[in-house]
Amino acid sequence: MSLNSQDVSRIARLARVELSAAENAATCDQLNAILGFIAQLQAVDTDGIEPMAHAVDVVQRLRPDVVSETDRRDAFQAVAPDVEAGLYLVPRVIE
Amino acid sequence: MSDSMINASLRQLSAALAEKKISSVELTTLFLDRIAQLNPSLNAFIATDREKSLAQARAADAAPQPCGALHGIPLAHKDIFCTEGWRTSCGSKMLENFIAPYDATVVEKFKAAGMVTLGKLNMDEFAMGSSNETSYFGAVKNPWDVSRVPGGSSGGSAAAISARLAPAATGTDTGGSIRQPAALCGLTGLKPTYGVVSRYGMIAFASSLDQAGPMAKSAEDCALLLNAMAGFDPRDSTSLERPAEDYARDLNQPLAGLRIGLPGEFFGAGMDDDVRATVEVALDEYRKLGAVTVDISLPNSGLSVPAYYVIAPAEASSNLSRFDGVRYGYRAPEYGDLNDMYAKTRAQGFGAEVKRRILIGTYVLSHGYYDAYYLKAQKIRRLIAVDFSDAFKKCDVIMGPASPSVAFAFGAKSADPVQMYLSDIYTISTNLAGLPGMSIPCGFGNNNMPVGLQIIGNWFDEARMLNVAHQYQQMTDWHTQMPEGMR
């Protein structure tokens, strides 16, 4: 199966990436080429094979529930596009 | 003096510093001057800061003796590592103005070792590329022939060392990004076992595959660098708790009886004749050193590139969702509502290849497709890893080419993503399996371009791989050669 321009628009919306109509057409061809390439995986028999999420099987570590970081809010917000009074500013979401 | 310093090994530099034949300030100045002179034609460095570097060098000179093995030696960081007070762009417009507010663990460790930061190195945008052509800051040129690519994604690191603009550099390798540029630029690069080097502060691409490693002229240099880089880090959730090792401990072991596995799949069609001939000569050198070669098979290795191009984009689409124009990085100048701000910021801030991979990743993880793509690829990943563990019952290391061709010309593959992806056909399987891999220079192919020999080790067998590489480098001088135009 291959993607059409509506599929590409849906994926771009999910990914929060704006695509122009011209970009949509080119992207559609490129994504289909890549999906065509990875389609060969479907032919492989993987019955009973455990999926491998990580290269080395280790158990997730836990740490004591105590404060381990210092407050560096000012330093971290210095690199933000728009802040005020310690808050990140974004377009209004509640009218 | 300066000629001997730019070609010196890290041990030689360390000795010269300890004996006060040269100061760290003089050594740092020497490399900064070379960068000023030669970088405009290479574009390997995308940030330098003379005063910052010299301040570190002065501090190194003032430190009480004795100092560690790397103290006072300059190195440069791939721009994927957060470096406090330095612009850390990851090769992207998205982070063009991002001044890192903290150090990556790797950067912190090298600082603690007394090394001097020379600057930040160009790379494919978010480490997605095999030619350095996807950098927002323009492609890096290969010092052996500036009409050719240096490889990627650690192409700035490779070009900088090859042109002797830095004695050593950091790199990262998600699918071959240390080994392929090391091969194409004629240097030594090592991707350690997944989990050996901390990923903290290293801008994430595909978290289950990303691993940092050293790039330098020789295996001995890489061993010393890995000694400083490796180690458990509680700030990286997949960092491994293992006892510290001296990766240089076995460098001088003889190779008599070493079993080298040669996978049929790595020597089939797809490899250029000049690469094949050069690799064959290197294998003969190993036989002279007393090693024996064993034919092995990695039957599922042909599936590694397609499996990678499911897993890596899936993880990338998740990791790169953090770039939304809110907390750091680029924000579109004009937008409507919040979703429009996200979509325009990401459309303008990311380059074409990054967007392509985000879209592929979003698709393979989207509702109804997860099992068919991501889960399937993870099962195939297991098959690939099992192939390696079976192979290592018959051999100690695996060898083959690091790249199917020597460095190619700019534009040769950039129009066809799948062709570009196949540049990493021999390197990707080790990332999927989490194994350590390295590339060492083993001669020259067509147009006098460097060829890399890949050495793949068993999990946590870096010390042996470095031994295997070092013994070869005692017999050959490929690793000491530098491009004529860079003198």
Side-chain angles (χ1 to χ4, degrees):
Chain A
M1 56 156 280
S2 63
L3 303 176
N4 59 32
S5 92
Q6 278 179 330
D7 298 324
V8 172
S9 295
R10 183 181 64 86
I11 297 163
R13 197 167 59 248
L14 288 173
R16 303 290 189 272
V17 175
E18 187 178 81
L19 289 183
S20 67
E23 285 173 320
N24 183 304
T27 304
C28 192
D29 291 344
Q30 288 164 344
L31 297 193
N32 279 325
I34 297 167
L35 291 172
F37 175 66
I38 61 185
Q40 57 186 293
L41 299 178
Q42 304 310 326
V44 182
D45 179 4
T46 51
D47 278 357
I49 305 295
E50 191 68 16
M52 178 170 161
H54 272 276
V56 181
D57 286 320
V58 286
V59 179
Q60 192 74 41
R61 288 188 310 276
L62 298 175
R63 63 169 178 82
D65 186 16
V66 293
V67 176
S68 58
E69 299 296 321
T70 53
D71 178 6
R72 297 196 58 209
R73 186 172 73 174
D74 291 347
F76 293 147
Q77 290 202 328
V79 292
D82 201 3
V83 290
E84 190 181 296
L87 304 170
Y88 294 102
L89 298 188
V90 296
R92 182 184 295 276
V93 282
I94 302 167
E95 292 299 334
Chain B
M1 179 69 170
S2 69
D3 209 41
S4 65
M5 287 299 151
I6 63 168
N7 284 308
S9 72
L10 298 187
R11 271 205 217 281
Q12 287 166 335
L13 290 178
S14 183
L17 286 161
E19 292 160 19
K20 309 266 185 217
K21 285 186 184 150
I22 193 167
S23 69
S24 178
V25 167
E26 289 165 334
L27 193 57
T28 302
T29 304
L30 172 69
F31 282 106
L32 287 171
D33 288 349
R34 283 185 66 78
I35 295 167
Q37 179 203 341
L38 294 166
N39 193 59
S41 63
L42 295 175
N43 201 27
F45 278 83
I46 49 177
T48 52
D49 185 328
R50 206 173 183 90
E51 263 326 293
K52 266 202 191 80
S53 300
L54 289 174
Q56 273 187 300
R58 281 191 292 272
D61 284 332
Q65 301 263 11
C67 301
L70 299 172
H71 189 91
I73 300 175
L75 97 161
H77 290 299
K78 184 176 182 180
D79 208 27
I80 200 168
F81 291 99
C82 284
T83 311
E84 190 172 356
W86 289 79
R87 199 264 307 269
T88 299
S89 73
C90 223
S92 181
K93 179 181 180 182
M94 186 61 90
L95 291 174
E96 187 179 5
N97 297 312
F98 177 69
I99 310 292
Y102 66 101
D103 278 330
T105 297
V106 163
V107 171
E108 197 175 78
K109 280 172 170 284
F110 280 125
K111 266 191 191 171
M115 294 194 88
V116 174
T117 303
L118 274 179
K120 304 298 293 288
L121 294 162
N122 205 348
M123 54 183 284
D124 277 297
E125 185 179 7
F126 286 103
M128 298 177 192
S130 306
S131 66
N132 241 279
E133 290 166 290
T134 74
S135 171
Y136 174 65
F137 302 97
V140 178
K141 316 288 197 301
N142 191 315
W144 292 93
D145 175 351
V146 293
S147 72
R148 292 169 189 269
V149 305
S153 65
S154 310
S157 307
I161 297 164
S162 162
R164 308 297 190 253
L165 305 187
T170 50
T172 62
D173 191 316
T174 304
S177 283
I178 287 176
R179 292 161 287 158
Q180 185 254 18
L184 270 42
C185 289
L187 50 125
T188 305
L190 168 66
K191 179 203 94 72
T193 307
Y194 181 84
V196 163
V197 175
S198 169
R199 292 183 296 109
Y200 179 80
M202 187 176 111
I203 296 168
F205 162 14
S207 301
S208 78
L209 304 166
D210 296 343
Q211 182 62 201
M215 298 174 77
K217 294 188 284 292
S218 69
E220 180 190 61
D221 288 358
C222 284
L224 299 178
L225 293 162
L226 187 58
N227 278 348
M229 281 177 104
F232 172 65
D233 181 6
R235 296 178 297 187
D236 170 359
S237 64
T238 57
S239 175
L240 297 171
E241 293 188 76
R242 295 172 52 79
E245 298 186 39
D246 174 10
Y247 292 101
R249 65 181 185 271
D250 291 333
L251 288 179
N252 297 317
Q253 293 298 316
L255 298 188
L258 178 82
R259 297 171 303 163
I260 299 172
L262 304 178
E265 295 79 4
F266 284 17
F267 289 87
M271 177 175 21
D272 285 357
D273 290 342
D274 58 328
V275 173
R276 182 189 306 275
T278 312
V279 167
E280 294 286 357
V281 172
L283 294 173
D284 280 338
E285 289 287 339
Y286 272 104
R287 292 185 188 104
K288 284 182 209 158
L289 283 163
V292 292
T293 52
V294 189
D295 289 333
I296 58 164
S297 179
L298 301 168
N300 293 293
S301 65
L303 298 168
S304 57
V305 182
Y308 176 90
Y309 278 95
V310 173
I311 292 169
E315 296 183 9
S317 75
S318 168
N319 275 323
L320 270 61
S321 66
R322 62 172 59 99
F323 300 104
D324 57 5
V326 175
R327 288 155 300 160
Y328 33 69
Y330 179 80
R331 178 186 285 194
E334 287 173 25
Y335 45 84
D337 65 7
L338 183 64
N339 269 319
D340 192 48
M341 186 192 88
Y342 292 151
K344 286 195 163 62
T345 292
R346 291 161 63 79
Q348 296 163 21
F350 290 135
E353 178 63 21
V354 172
K355 282 189 260 193
R356 207 150 39 229
R357 296 205 197 180
I358 288 174
L359 294 173
I360 285 286
T362 302
Y363 174 66
V364 301
L365 291 177
S366 64
H367 182 70
Y369 297 100
Y370 179 86
D371 286 4
Y373 287 111
Y374 193 67
L375 203 66
K376 185 83 180 175
Q378 283 192 317
K379 290 178 178 175
I380 290 165
R381 185 176 182 181
R382 171 88 55 198
L383 294 176
I384 290 165
V386 168
D387 282 354
F388 276 110
S389 39
D390 288 346
F392 279 117
K393 290 170 189 156
K394 297 177 199 135
C395 61
D396 304 308
V397 293
I398 292 171
M399 287 189 189
S403 163
S405 71
V406 296
F408 44 90
F410 287 103
K413 300 186 183 190
S414 48
D416 183 347
V418 172
Q419 276 312 304
M420 186 69 87
Y421 298 169
L422 290 169
S423 321
D424 293 327
I425 190 163
Y426 301 125
T427 48
I428 275 178
S429 54
T430 59
N431 297 80
L432 291 169
L435 288 165
M438 67 190 295
S439 178
I440 59 172
C442 70
F444 295 87
N446 291 347
N447 301 299
N448 204 34
M449 295 304 290
V451 172
L453 174 72
Q454 187 175 205
I455 305 171
I456 300 169
N458 212 332
W459 287 274
F460 308 110
D461 218 5
E462 288 84 355
R464 191 209 301 257
M465 295 158 65
L466 288 159
N467 160 235
V468 167
H470 180 69
Q471 289 303 306
Y472 175 82
Q473 292 181 339
Q474 299 308 103
M475 288 263 292
T476 57
D477 66 355
W478 306 116
H479 64 291
T480 66
Q481 303 200 16
M482 70 177 281
E484 202 50 50
M486 298 296 142
R487 287 186 193 281

